[in-house]
Coordinates of all heavy atoms in Angstrom, one line a residue:
G227 N -3.1 -13.2 -14.0 CA -1.9 -13.4 -14.9 C -0.6 -12.9 -14.3 O 0.5 -13.2 -15.0
F228 N -0.5 -12.2 -13.2 CA 0.8 -11.8 -12.7 C 1.4 -12.9 -11.9 O 0.8 -13.7 -11.1 CB 0.5 -10.6 -11.8 CG 0.3 -9.3 -12.5 CD1 -1.0 -8.8 -12.7 CD2 1.3 -8.6 -13.0 CE1 -1.3 -7.7 -13.4 CE2 1.1 -7.4 -13.8 CZ -0.2 -7.0 -13.9
A229 N 2.7 -13.0 -11.9 CA 3.5 -14.0 -11.2 C 3.7 -13.6 -9.8 O 3.6 -14.4 -8.9 CB 4.8 -14.3 -11.9
V230 N 4.0 -12.2 -9.6 CA 4.3 -11.7 -8.3 C 3.8 -10.2 -8.2 O 3.6 -9.6 -9.2 CB 5.8 -11.8 -7.9 CG1 6.3 -13.2 -7.9 CG2 6.6 -10.9 -8.9
A231 N 3.7 -9.8 -6.9 CA 3.4 -8.4 -6.7 C 4.5 -7.8 -5.7 O 5.0 -8.5 -4.9 CB 2.1 -8.2 -6.1
C232 N 4.7 -6.5 -5.8 CA 5.7 -5.8 -5.0 C 5.0 -4.5 -4.5 O 4.3 -3.9 -5.3 CB 6.9 -5.5 -5.7 SG 7.7 -6.8 -6.6
F233 N 5.3 -4.2 -3.3 CA 4.8 -2.9 -2.7 C 5.9 -2.0 -2.4 O 6.7 -2.3 -1.5 CB 3.9 -3.2 -1.4 CG 2.7 -4.1 -1.6 CD1 2.1 -4.7 -0.5 CD2 2.2 -4.3 -2.8 CE1 1.0 -5.5 -0.6 CE2 1.1 -5.1 -2.9 CZ 0.5 -5.7 -1.8
I234 N 6.0 -0.8 -3.1 CA 7.1 0.1 -2.9 C 6.6 1.4 -2.2 O 5.5 1.9 -2.5 CB 7.7 0.5 -4.3 CG1 8.1 -0.8 -5.0 CG2 8.8 1.5 -4.1 CD1 9.3 -1.5 -4.3
G235 N 7.4 1.9 -1.2 CA 7.0 3.1 -0.5 C 5.8 3.0 0.4 O 5.2 4.0 0.7
Y236 N 5.6 1.8 1.0 CA 4.5 1.6 1.8 C 4.8 2.0 3.3 O 5.9 2.2 3.7 CB 4.0 0.1 1.8 CG 3.0 -0.3 0.8 CD1 3.1 0.2 -0.5 CD2 1.9 -1.0 1.2 CE1 2.1 -0.1 -1.4 CE2 0.9 -1.3 0.3 CZ 1.0 -0.9 -1.0 OH 0.0 -1.2 -2.0
H237 N 3.7 2.3 4.0 CA 3.8 2.7 5.4 C 3.1 1.7 6.3 O 2.3 0.9 5.9 CB 3.2 4.1 5.6 CG 1.8 4.2 5.0 ND1 0.8 3.8 5.8 CD2 1.4 4.6 3.8 CE1 -0.3 4.0 5.0 NE2 0.0 4.5 3.9
A238 N 3.3 1.9 7.7 CA 2.7 1.1 8.7 C 1.3 1.5 8.9 O 0.7 2.5 8.5 CB 3.5 1.1 9.9
R239 N 0.5 0.6 9.6 CA -0.9 0.8 9.8 C -1.2 1.9 10.9 O -0.3 2.3 11.6 CB -1.5 -0.6 10.3 CG -0.9 -1.0 11.7 CD -1.6 -2.2 12.2 NE -0.9 -2.8 13.4 CZ -0.9 -2.3 14.6 NH1 -1.7 -1.1 14.8 NH2 -0.3 -2.9 15.6
A240 N -2.4 2.2 10.8 CA -2.9 3.3 11.8 C -2.7 2.8 13.3 O -2.8 1.6 13.6 CB -4.4 3.5 11.6
G241 N -2.2 3.7 14.1 CA -2.0 3.5 15.5 C -0.7 2.9 15.8 O -0.3 2.7 17.0
S242 N 0.2 2.7 14.8 CA 1.6 2.2 15.0 C 2.5 3.3 15.2 O 2.1 4.5 15.0 CB 2.0 1.2 13.9 OG 2.2 2.0 12.7
H243 N 3.8 3.0 15.3 CA 4.8 4.0 15.6 C 5.5 4.3 14.2 O 6.6 5.0 14.3 CB 5.9 3.6 16.6 CG 5.3 3.5 18.0 ND1 4.9 4.6 18.7 CD2 4.9 2.4 18.8 CE1 4.4 4.2 19.9 NE2 4.4 2.9 19.9
G244 N 5.0 3.9 13.1 CA 5.6 4.2 11.9 C 5.5 5.6 11.4 O 4.6 6.4 11.8
V245 N 6.4 6.0 10.4 CA 6.3 7.3 9.9 C 5.0 7.5 9.1 O 4.7 6.7 8.2 CB 7.5 7.5 8.9 CG1 7.4 8.9 8.2 CG2 8.8 7.5 9.7
L246 N 4.3 8.5 9.4 CA 3.0 8.9 8.7 C 2.0 7.7 8.7 O 1.3 7.5 7.8 CB 3.2 9.4 7.3 CG 4.1 10.7 7.2 CD1 4.3 11.0 5.8 CD2 3.5 11.8 7.9
A247 N 2.1 6.9 9.8 CA 1.3 5.6 9.8 C -0.2 5.9 9.9 O -0.7 6.8 10.6 CB 1.6 4.9 11.1
H248 N -0.9 5.3 8.9 CA -2.4 5.4 8.8 C -2.9 4.2 8.0 O -2.1 3.4 7.4 CB -2.8 6.7 8.2 CG -2.3 6.9 6.8 ND1 -1.0 7.1 6.4 CD2 -3.0 6.7 5.6 CE1 -1.0 7.2 5.1 NE2 -2.1 6.9 4.5
T249 N -4.2 4.1 8.0 CA -4.8 3.0 7.1 C -5.8 3.6 6.2 O -7.0 4.0 6.6 CB -5.5 1.9 8.0 OG1 -4.5 1.4 8.9 CG2 -6.1 0.8 7.2
Y250 N -5.4 3.9 5.0 CA -6.2 4.6 4.0 C -6.6 6.0 4.2 O -6.5 6.9 3.3 CB -7.5 3.8 3.6 CG -7.2 2.5 2.9 CD1 -7.9 1.4 3.2 CD2 -6.3 2.4 1.8 CE1 -7.6 0.1 2.6 CE2 -6.1 1.3 1.2 CZ -6.7 0.1 1.6 OH -6.5 -1.1 0.9
S251 N -6.9 6.4 5.4 CA -7.4 7.8 5.8 C -7.2 8.0 7.2 O -7.2 7.1 8.1 CB -8.8 7.8 5.4 OG -9.4 9.1 5.9
D252 N -7.1 9.3 7.6 CA -7.0 9.7 9.0 C -8.3 9.5 9.7 O -8.4 9.7 10.9 CB -6.5 11.1 9.1 CG -7.3 12.1 8.4 OD1 -8.4 11.8 7.9 OD2 -7.0 13.3 8.5
V253 N -9.4 9.1 9.0 CA -10.6 8.9 9.7 C -10.7 7.5 10.4 O -11.6 7.2 11.1 CB -11.9 9.1 8.8 CG1 -11.8 10.4 8.1 CG2 -11.9 8.0 7.8
V254 N -9.7 6.7 10.0 CA -9.7 5.3 10.5 C -8.8 5.2 11.7 O -7.6 5.5 11.7 CB -9.2 4.3 9.5 CG1 -9.1 2.9 10.0 CG2 -10.1 4.3 8.2
H255 N -9.4 4.7 12.8 CA -8.6 4.4 14.0 C -8.0 3.0 14.1 O -6.8 2.8 14.5 CB -9.5 4.6 15.3 CG -8.8 4.4 16.6 ND1 -7.8 5.2 17.1 CD2 -8.9 3.3 17.5 CE1 -7.4 4.7 18.2 NE2 -8.0 3.5 18.5
R256 N -8.8 2.0 13.6 CA -8.4 0.6 13.6 C -9.2 -0.1 12.6 O -10.4 0.2 12.4 CB -8.6 0.0 15.0 CG -8.1 -1.4 15.1 CD -8.5 -2.0 16.5 NE -8.2 -3.4 16.6 CZ -7.1 -3.9 17.1 NH1 -6.1 -3.1 17.5 NH2 -7.0 -5.2 17.2
L257 N -8.6 -1.0 11.9 CA -9.3 -1.8 10.9 C -8.9 -3.3 11.0 O -7.7 -3.6 11.2 CB -9.0 -1.4 9.4 CG -9.8 -1.9 8.3 CD1 -9.9 -0.9 7.1 CD2 -9.2 -3.3 7.8
E258 N -9.9 -4.2 11.0 CA -9.7 -5.6 11.2 C -10.3 -6.4 10.0 O -11.4 -6.0 9.5 CB -10.3 -6.1 12.5 CG -9.6 -5.6 13.8 CD -10.2 -6.0 15.0 OE1 -11.2 -6.8 14.9 OE2 -9.8 -5.7 16.1
V259 N -9.7 -7.5 9.7 CA -10.3 -8.4 8.7 C -10.4 -9.8 9.5 O -9.4 -10.3 9.9 CB -9.4 -8.6 7.5 CG1 -10.1 -9.7 6.6 CG2 -9.3 -7.3 6.7

Side-chain angles (χ1 to χ4, degrees):
F228 285 99
V230 298
C232 312
F233 298 162
I234 301 298
Y236 267 48
H237 54 81
R239 62 171 173 77
S242 73
H243 293 288
V245 174
L246 300 177
H248 64 282
T249 302
Y250 288 137
S251 169
D252 60 2
V253 305
V254 175
H255 177 71
R256 180 185 175 95
L257 191 151
E258 297 177 356
V259 177

